[in-house]
């Protein structure tokens, strides 16, 4: 892992550049480093894999961490800090670089490199709610059952299991052996059919196993609650969605997969998400 120290003002930044961002858009990475280096004292870390990425964050000291990368890199940073119970005292900043930027955009982060870097320097921390599941996984933006098919650049296998680089290597080898036309055929396959799930919000059943559903979505709402939407299967006229808000959401039933932010997880038979109010901080532009 390469490290480069620069100095400008008294503010201390630790700029961690995700390796995927370096490979996919080196010019935007260079611009981000130039803008940040002109406005603050910074140490740049160039990790080569998720283990070095984690080590850089753990050794940040008093420096404010800035992640240069896409949604997957931001999720990885929040998950690592949560796992080590360091989110409360750490405000994250992100300069979005890469193909998957919808989460950063939805959180209020500018997706232009210069604007995002300026927001790191001039913005303010906003505390945000976090969904934490019973396996200690985190959700920053939203989750959906069944998972929505990802765009090709958002389906990077390394995000699904950042702790096992050997698996990523094997997956890369498999991709080189599969004919190029195969991904488009996979994308054309129909999604899963209706599911029979029990959805409970704060212990109250919103929908039970006898009612097939097309989709379930959960997202952090306001004031420490989650917003839940269940879309029942339509018979004739379109069925109205079932809406609820609560601090604890449990989904159970047949084995199901779910997409949380940029990562598809499962299959599981049951999963519970709890809202942690103001659990993490993100630097956003003034007035955002």
């Amino acid at each position: 892992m390469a490290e480069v120290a620069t100095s400008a003002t008294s503010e201390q930044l630790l700029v961690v550049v995700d390796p995927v961002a370096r490979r996919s858009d080196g010019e935007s990475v260079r611009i981000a480093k130039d803008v940040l280096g002109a406005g603050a004292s910074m140490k740049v870390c160039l990790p080569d894999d998720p283990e070095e990425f984690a080590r850089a964050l753990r050794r940040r000291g008093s420096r404010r961490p800035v992640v240069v990368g896409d949604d997957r890199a931001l999720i990885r940073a929040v998950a690592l800090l949560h796992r080590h119970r360091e989110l409360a005292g750490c405000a994250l900043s992100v300069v979005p670089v890469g193909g998957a930027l919808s989460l950063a955009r939805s959180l209020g982060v500018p997706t232009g490199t210069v604007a995002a870097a300026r927001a790191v320097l001039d913005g303010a921390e906003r505390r945000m709610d976090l969904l934490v599941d019973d396996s200690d996984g985190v959700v920053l933006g939203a989750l959906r059952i069944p998972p929505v098919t990802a765009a090709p650049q958002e389906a990077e296998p390394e995000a699904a299991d950042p702790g096992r680089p050997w698996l990523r290597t094997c997956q890369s080898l498999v991709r080189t052996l599969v004919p190029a036309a195969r991904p488009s055929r996979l994308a054309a396959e129909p999604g899963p059919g209706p599911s029979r799930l029990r959805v409970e919000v704060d212990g109250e059943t919103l929908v039970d196993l006898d009612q097939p559903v097309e989709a379930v979505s959960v997202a952090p709402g306001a004031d420490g609650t989650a917003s839940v939407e269940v879309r029942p299967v339509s018979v004739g006229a379109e069925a109205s969605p079932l809406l609820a808000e609560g601090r604890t959401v449990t989904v159970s039933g047949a084995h199901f997969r779910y997409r949380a932010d940029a990562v598809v997880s499962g299959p599981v038979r049951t999963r519970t998400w709890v809202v942690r109010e103001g659990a993490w901080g993100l630097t956003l532009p003034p007035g955002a």
Side-chain angles (χ1 to χ4, degrees):
M1 175 173 61
E3 296 185 357
V4 180
T6 67
S7 63
T9 66
S10 58
E11 181 165 20
Q12 305 287 310
L13 301 179
L14 173 69
V15 179
V16 183
V17 183
D18 185 68
V20 176
R22 298 205 308 273
R23 293 194 301 266
S24 64
D25 192 350
E27 178 63 15
S28 292
V29 170
R30 182 192 64 77
I31 293 171
K33 291 192 295 183
D34 287 348
V35 175
L36 294 171
S41 171
M42 69 177 188
K43 180 167 75 172
V44 179
C45 293
L46 306 174
D48 292 322
D49 54 44
E51 288 73 23
E52 290 188 354
F53 184 98
R55 190 156 53 245
L57 277 182
R58 293 300 310 277
R59 295 177 177 175
R60 69 188 181 278
S62 61
R63 293 178 181 268
R64 175 159 61 100
V66 181
V67 175
V68 179
D70 64 5
D71 291 346
R72 295 179 295 266
L74 174 61
I75 295 164
R76 186 183 304 128
V78 174
L80 286 166
L81 293 170
H82 167 73
R83 190 176 307 139
H84 296 287
R85 303 302 184 252
E86 296 175 351
L87 274 177
C90 178
L92 271 172
S93 300
V94 61
V95 179
V97 175
L101 306 180
S102 58
L103 173 61
R105 184 183 300 111
S106 70
L107 294 173
V109 179
T111 53
T113 304
V114 174
R118 293 303 312 174
V120 172
L121 299 173
D122 303 330
E125 177 189 1
R126 177 184 294 176
R127 302 301 298 182
M128 296 188 175
D129 292 354
L130 188 69
L131 289 176
V132 179
D133 68 37
D134 45 14
S135 70
D136 215 28
V138 299
V139 184
L140 283 60
L143 66 93
R144 178 185 166 91
I145 309 166
V148 178
T149 302
Q153 68 266 33
E154 295 184 357
E156 185 71 32
E158 73 166 316
D161 202 341
R164 291 189 285 178
W166 58 267
L167 177 60
R168 193 168 61 253
T169 302
C170 293
Q171 291 168 324
S172 298
L173 176 59
V174 170
R175 288 198 301 273
T176 65
L177 300 176
V178 175
R182 181 59 177 165
S184 61
R185 293 202 301 271
L186 285 174
E189 291 179 1
S195 303
R196 291 187 181 273
L197 300 170
R198 176 181 293 114
V199 180
E200 300 168 89
V201 181
D202 288 346
E204 297 292 329
T205 301
L206 183 61
V207 65
D208 216 332
L209 299 173
D210 58 351
Q211 171 64 66
V213 299
E214 292 180 354
V216 178
S217 61
V218 184
D223 302 323
T225 62
S227 298
V228 184
E229 178 180 302
V230 176
R231 292 194 170 273
V233 171
S234 301
V235 179
E238 183 177 357
S240 300
L242 305 174
L243 306 176
E245 293 186 347
R247 294 182 179 272
T248 301
V249 180
T250 299
V251 179
S252 56
H255 285 94
F256 62 91
R257 297 181 184 273
Y258 60 93
R259 181 178 177 86
D261 297 325
V263 179
V264 176
S265 300
V268 295
R269 289 190 63 87
T270 184
R271 181 113 292 166
T272 295
W273 291 270
V274 177
V275 180
R276 301 280 179 86
E277 186 173 3
W280 71 292
L282 182 66
T283 304
L284 296 176

